[in-house]
Amino acid sequence: MIRKTIFSLFLLIGIAMLFPAPAFADGIIVPDPPPNPLPGPIPISQLVIRYHHVDVTIKDQIAITHVDQVFYNPNDWTVEGTYLFPIPLGGTVNDFVLWIDGEPVRGEILDANQARETYEQIVRNMQDPALLEYADRMAVKARIFPIPPGEERRIELEYTEVLKAENGLVRYLYPLNTEKFSLSPLDDVRITVNISSSAPIRAAYSPSHQVAIDRDDNHHIRAGYEQTNILPDRDFVLLYSVGEGNGLHILTYRDSNVLNDEDGFFMLFLAPRSDMETVQVSKDVILVLDRSGSMEGEKFQQAQEALKFILSHLNADDRFNVIAFSTGLDVYSSNLRPSKEASEAIRWVERQSAVGSTDINRALLEAASIADSERSTYLIFLTDGLPTEGVIESKDIIENFAVAARKNIKLFAFGVGYDVDTYLLDTLAQEHQGTSTYVLPGDQLNEVLSSFYEKISSPVLTDLNLDIEGLTTYDIYPDPLPDLFMGSQIIVVGRYRDGGRKTIKLSGYINGERQTYSYPNQIFSQDYTHEMDMIPRIWATRKIGYLLNQIRLNGPEQELVDQIVRLSIRYGIVTPYTSYLVTESQPLGDAAQDRIVEEEMAAMNAAPTMPSFGREAVEKAAEQGAMKDAESITSPSVEVANRIRNIGARTFVYSNGVWMDTAFDPDKMTTVKVAFLSDDYFRLSRKYPVLSTAFSLGDGVIAVWDGVAYEIVPSDQVVPSIDIPSVDQPTVPAEKENTIDIASIVPSQEKIEGRDNTAKSIFPCLGGLIPFLFVPLLFIVWVKTK
């Protein structure tokens, strides 16, 4: 029971720690005491946010963001209040427009000191520390109209910013965090970003959210994110590269104070170089289709449609062949054929029917015999069942294909339904530089296959190798690197030691000739960085996905289980050792982690071997495959979000009224006690912004910073004062002074009537700093209407 309890805590940690703690928020309600309040703290969350819509237009790095929110008052008293937008130190605001229920609203500016005093006073009065994470930031302030009971207020705002481009990589950030400040999940959250650029847009990617990217042409793309019934908990980040650049960008994250780890994390953003696009890389495509009796009906019709799509989208210099297999084989041609014969092959596919058993071994060996060693060969293998004819042992099939297959074959396996051998498909894909995809019941097979082929239809560089000169790197994923295709990108994550300016060399083959590209002066940070704190979680997700695959395919090893357990706690990644949600009352220090590993290894060794087919096996393979290839972070459930929080790259677990830092080890650390709302409490929050954000979790927190565990205890507990270096009042250098054009807060008549979304002017001081500031942070100071 203890083991299950601890393992179940991993599921909570695992789901939630994938999600970084936000630096900013919007839609925050700070109420005055309601009529006849109960004794004790007054919760901030008192309104419901109906929806949150964001429409962004970016033209040549000038971004106009329009935010539309509706707030509902579920209380039985009328309220009115103040709308505050926190601005981080150094931020610059211009061309800001605010409407409430369609009416323009006038505003004023609070400097950093005034804003901090406001936040701290609210914290003291309400005994709720949630606002501490916004300390030291200026704020825009505006009054709102009263909200009667049961009614709504629609608040819209619009602001303009200039986005910075660093070596051709542009970063747009929208702070999206309401999880503390809405009484219930939001019905609808939507972000739409339309980008147009005079220079070609090479690639786009979001490390924070799963977005759909639509490319109208080389100069226009659209990115969309949409969720329902959700409590947003992290910033929305969109990266895109422009210009005739080299196609490589590096992002790093380092935080040794928080993680007690000297090594850094990096993310490489690889897209095709402009000079790669001038050369057409020829490829061979071999389609292997299961036409056994179990494929009969809609599945086979969709498979035929997918094969017809692929054949009709071959490039001019491509070659192909098609193999249909069941009890026997039906091969379109004895050798590879030119793409001009595609129409004849399509008619051949249309004549096929589903009947017979499943001889996978023979089909794969036939495909291997057809392949040519001169150029890259993509073998697309589709099946819905287990081998039932000829060689039926998976290990024998894997060995036979390994002997017969040339090194240039990349195998992409598609398993349809639950009656497929995941061990066979995953091993074949892993050993032959491909991927395995599982098409679950209800999924559209033709859409899955067609979408896949669109991504790989035009390779520009194959058999990639990455070398970073003079830098020690390890745990790089994906491993091996996939081929690079036109219109796509590869996201590479890994760890590094030391740092500095380094030269990255990327090599690969173009039509059989090896090419090497150098990227000098790439900066691997040697100091603390915090802007891309989602990188550690994406890296850890991929590593755990890789380790889980090894255990599933090759059996458990204590070293692998040990790594998974420790990574799960540190970065919060879901592991198969967690099955249901419970709480664990004790911190998970080294001793607890050692015990978990031993217990889990004993349980795994004693458990019977699970089959590699069936619903559970397929769903597990699909889940672990998604982890291994993760490019972004996934949203937690509402239940988990209430129990697990993330601050930067750390995780806090709520247990027995205390938010506990998972870096806290009770066997090695003693806590330094700090009384809630004491002078030391506020001095610490001013001195260390990371602690300020951690303290905002609640009135009971254990947070580790620079090797010290600070424990927030009840305000009436007498504790000794602690030695904290003096804290200077936050200041802003003159050259980075926050400036806001007050006149622009009240929209002109032209804007009020026409809702002009075009920035009339962009001041030189804008400098692209606004990405970190502007989603509305709503503080409504409640007043009972008499």
Side-chain angles (χ1 to χ4, degrees):
M1 183 62 184
I2 293 175
R3 181 177 66 83
K4 286 186 177 180
T5 298
I6 295 175
F7 292 163
S8 298
L9 177 61
F10 276 132
L11 183 55
L12 282 174
I13 299 174
I15 296 172
M17 276 192 66
L18 285 172
F19 321 110
F24 313 96
D26 57 351
I28 295 178
I29 307 304
V30 183
D32 255 5
N36 304 315
L38 296 174
I42 302 168
I44 289 179
S45 303
Q46 301 241 340
L47 290 188
V48 173
I49 304 172
R50 294 293 201 195
Y51 67 73
H52 187 158
H53 294 167
V54 183
D55 291 287
V56 186
T57 301
I58 303 174
K59 184 175 182 180
D60 290 330
Q61 297 171 230
I62 297 177
I64 301 174
T65 300
H66 186 92
V67 184
D68 184 358
Q69 294 176 278
V70 167
F71 298 89
Y72 168 70
N73 177 17
N75 306 292
D76 57 4
W77 63 90
T78 298
V79 297
E80 59 183 294
T82 301
Y83 202 56
L84 294 178
F85 301 90
I87 304 168
L89 206 60
T92 307
V93 181
N94 188 45
D95 205 26
F96 174 83
V97 183
L98 174 67
W99 297 274
I100 298 178
D101 287 345
E103 296 295 328
V105 177
R106 187 178 300 276
E108 61 176 306
I109 305 302
L110 301 180
D111 65 24
N113 292 335
Q114 291 172 322
R116 170 175 274 283
E117 290 174 2
T118 301
Y119 302 148
E120 290 190 0
Q121 190 60 48
I122 293 171
V123 170
R124 291 181 190 274
N125 291 343
M126 305 189 68
Q127 301 179 49
D128 188 328
L131 301 184
L132 282 180
E133 66 177 290
Y134 310 109
D136 296 332
R137 297 169 192 163
M138 298 177 64
V140 177
K141 177 181 176 182
R143 292 292 296 171
I144 69 166
F145 303 113
I147 308 177
E151 294 194 11
E152 299 176 340
R153 279 286 175 267
R154 182 183 182 187
I155 298 181
E156 298 173 84
L157 65 98
E158 185 176 288
Y159 60 90
T160 305
E161 58 187 297
V162 175
L163 306 180
K164 286 183 178 178
E166 298 183 6
N167 298 320
L169 184 66
V170 182
R171 180 173 183 257
Y172 173 81
L173 184 146
Y174 180 84
L176 181 66
N177 167 33
T178 55
E179 103 278 345
K180 294 190 292 243
F181 308 110
S182 178
L183 283 174
S184 61
L186 280 66
D187 293 339
D188 179 24
V189 176
R190 173 180 57 78
I191 300 178
T192 303
V193 185
N194 287 281
I195 306 174
S196 60
S197 173
S198 300
I201 303 172
R202 313 204 65 78
Y205 159 66
S206 173
S208 61
H209 293 75
Q210 295 179 339
V211 300
I213 304 289
D214 294 321
R215 179 183 291 270
D216 297 332
D217 52 49
N218 287 338
H219 298 267
H220 301 84
I221 65 170
R222 182 170 56 257
Y225 165 76
E226 186 168 355
Q227 287 289 332
T228 58
N229 191 37
I230 187 175
L231 288 172
D233 69 328
R234 62 190 180 276
D235 297 344
F236 175 85
V237 178
L238 183 68
L239 306 171
Y240 66 97
S241 56
V242 295
E244 305 295 337
N246 56 30
L248 182 145
H249 306 280
I250 180 144
L251 302 167
T252 63
Y253 177 86
R254 196 166 207 147
D255 197 348
S256 59
N257 279 328
V258 173
L259 300 178
N260 194 26
D261 185 344
E262 295 299 325
D263 294 346
F265 301 81
F266 70 87
M267 174 184 284
L268 282 179
F269 189 67
L270 291 175
R273 295 166 55 107
S274 54
D275 53 357
M276 292 177 181
E277 298 175 352
T278 61
V279 179
Q280 179 68 58
V281 175
S282 303
K283 69 180 188 296
D284 294 337
V285 179
I286 301 176
L287 303 171
V288 181
L289 172 64
D290 183 346
R291 63 163 193 169
S292 60
S294 59
M295 283 287 290
E296 186 178 14
E298 185 179 4
K299 281 192 295 187
F300 194 70
Q301 293 173 4
Q302 290 187 4
Q304 288 176 305
E305 290 301 315
L307 263 62
K308 290 159 60 178
F309 176 87
I310 294 172
L311 291 168
S312 63
H313 287 79
L314 294 170
N315 297 325
D317 293 331
D318 289 348
R319 298 182 302 183
F320 75 94
N321 208 339
V322 188
I323 300 170
F325 73 94
S326 56
T327 306
L329 294 179
D330 196 357
V331 184
Y332 171 72
S333 175
S334 60
N335 52 37
L336 292 163
R337 306 306 302 162
S339 61
K340 64 183 180 181
E341 289 187 17
S343 57
E344 183 178 341
I346 288 174
R347 290 190 291 273
W348 182 88
V349 169
E350 290 174 337
R351 293 195 296 269
Q352 299 299 311
S353 60
V355 64
S357 301
T358 310
D359 193 342
I360 291 176
N361 183 74
R362 186 178 174 189
L364 291 176
L365 294 182
E366 180 69 20
S369 68
I370 291 174
D372 191 328
S373 62
E374 293 183 357
R375 53 182 176 177
S376 289
T377 300
Y378 299 105
L379 195 165
I380 300 175
F381 172 59
L382 185 149
T383 182
D384 79 331
L386 305 173
T388 58
E389 186 78 18
V391 178
I392 60 174
E393 292 296 326
S394 296
K395 289 186 177 180
D396 293 338
I397 296 173
I398 292 168
E399 291 176 1
N400 292 343
F401 186 70
V403 171
R406 303 176 187 272
K407 291 183 179 180
N408 62 315
I409 291 181
K410 296 176 176 65
L411 188 149
F412 298 92
F414 290 82
V416 183
Y418 294 130
D419 295 325
V420 294
D421 187 342
T422 60
Y423 168 75
L424 173 63
L425 299 187
D426 288 346
T427 304
L428 286 169
Q430 179 177 288
E431 294 186 355
H432 298 279
Q433 305 176 66
T435 59
S436 49
T437 301
Y438 294 94
V439 185
L440 304 183
D443 294 346
Q444 296 296 309
L445 173 60
N446 55 331
E447 293 179 5
V448 172
L449 267 174
S450 301
S451 176
F452 163 78
Y453 183 74
E454 284 185 322
K455 295 177 182 177
I456 70 159
S457 62
S458 299
V460 295
L461 192 68
T462 64
D463 302 301
L464 273 59
N465 181 68
L466 189 68
D467 178 49
I468 304 174
E469 294 183 341
L471 188 71
T472 300
T473 59
Y474 60 97
D475 287 345
I476 296 177
Y477 303 100
D479 182 26
L481 294 177
D483 292 348
L484 186 59
F485 300 96
M486 186 81 71
S488 67
Q489 64 272 337
I490 301 172
I491 308 300
V492 183
V493 292
R495 303 294 307 273
Y496 68 92
R497 298 191 176 98
D498 300 324
R501 290 183 178 271
K502 305 296 179 181
T503 295
I504 299 176
K505 290 190 174 181
L506 178 68
S507 59
Y509 288 90
I510 298 179
N511 290 328
E513 295 185 6
R514 189 168 186 81
Q515 302 288 335
T516 300
Y517 302 92
S518 292
Y519 305 87
N521 296 317
Q522 301 298 318
I523 300 175
F524 289 79
S525 177
Q526 296 173 286
D527 303 314
Y528 168 77
T529 59
H530 66 279
E531 289 183 357
M532 294 297 292
D533 59 10
M534 70 282 291
I535 295 177
R537 231 165 251 110
I538 295 175
W539 168 83
T541 302
R542 287 193 180 183
K543 179 169 183 177
I544 289 179
Y546 171 80
L547 295 174
L548 290 174
N549 249 10
Q550 300 310 304
I551 290 176
R552 183 167 55 87
L553 299 179
N554 305 316
E557 294 182 16
Q558 182 148 344
E559 180 181 352
L560 300 184
V561 174
D562 184 87
Q563 290 185 65
I564 292 172
V565 167
R566 296 181 190 282
L567 287 169
S568 297
I569 292 174
R570 181 171 176 179
Y571 301 104
I573 311 300
V574 177
T575 76
Y577 315 134
T578 57
S579 58
Y580 55 89
L581 303 179
V582 296
T583 59
E584 169 59 40
S585 60
Q586 300 300 318
L588 294 171
D590 286 345
Q593 294 179 42
D594 291 341
R595 184 181 70 253
I596 292 170
V597 173
E598 293 296 335
E599 291 175 347
E600 186 56 32
M601 278 301 301
M604 293 172 72
N605 289 328
T609 302
M610 297 296 294
S612 60
F613 58 91
R615 178 169 184 165
E616 182 179 352
V618 169
E619 289 180 347
K620 181 180 291 186
E623 177 186 356
Q624 294 175 7
M627 291 176 66
K628 184 169 61 71
D629 300 326
E631 293 189 352
S632 60
I633 297 167
T634 308
S635 297
S637 68
V638 173
E639 180 183 4
V640 171
N642 289 332
R643 306 259 298 279
I644 306 294
R645 299 287 171 84
N646 298 281
I647 305 294
R650 294 181 296 163
T651 293
F652 290 79
V653 180
Y654 188 69
S655 177
N656 294 331
V658 176
W659 288 99
M660 246 184 300
D661 194 332
T662 58
F664 174 59
D665 189 337
D667 297 325
K668 298 179 180 180
M669 298 177 177
T670 57
T671 62
V672 175
K673 292 180 171 54
V674 181
F676 180 54
L677 302 182
S678 65
D679 290 341
D680 283 348
Y681 176 87
F682 286 106
R683 288 169 60 207
L684 272 174
S685 71
R686 293 174 196 147
K687 181 66 177 177
Y688 305 114
V690 170
L691 285 181
S692 180
T693 308
F695 292 171
S696 72
L697 292 173
D699 56 5
V701 177
I702 296 178
V704 178
W705 176 255
D706 202 17
V708 179
Y710 296 97
E711 180 180 3
I712 306 305
V713 297
S715 57
D716 58 359
Q717 184 170 333
V718 179
V719 297
S721 180
I722 60 178
D723 183 20
I724 305 172
S726 61
V727 183
D728 297 330
Q729 291 295 331
T731 58
V732 182
E735 68 274 15
K736 294 183 179 181
E737 184 177 0
N738 288 271
T739 58
I740 300 183
D741 181 1
I742 299 296
S744 69
I745 296 177
V746 181
S748 64
Q749 189 64 31
E750 178 183 59
K751 287 191 174 183
I752 293 172
E753 295 175 355
R755 293 293 173 88
D756 183 5
N757 286 334
T758 303
K760 301 300 182 183
S761 63
I762 301 298
F763 290 3
C765 63
L766 192 58
L769 294 174
I770 193 171
F772 302 99
L773 39 115
F774 235 99
V775 164
L777 177 60
L778 174 61
F779 302 124
I780 297 188
V781 183
W782 296 90
V783 180
K784 181 181 178 184
T785 300
K786 296 181 180 180

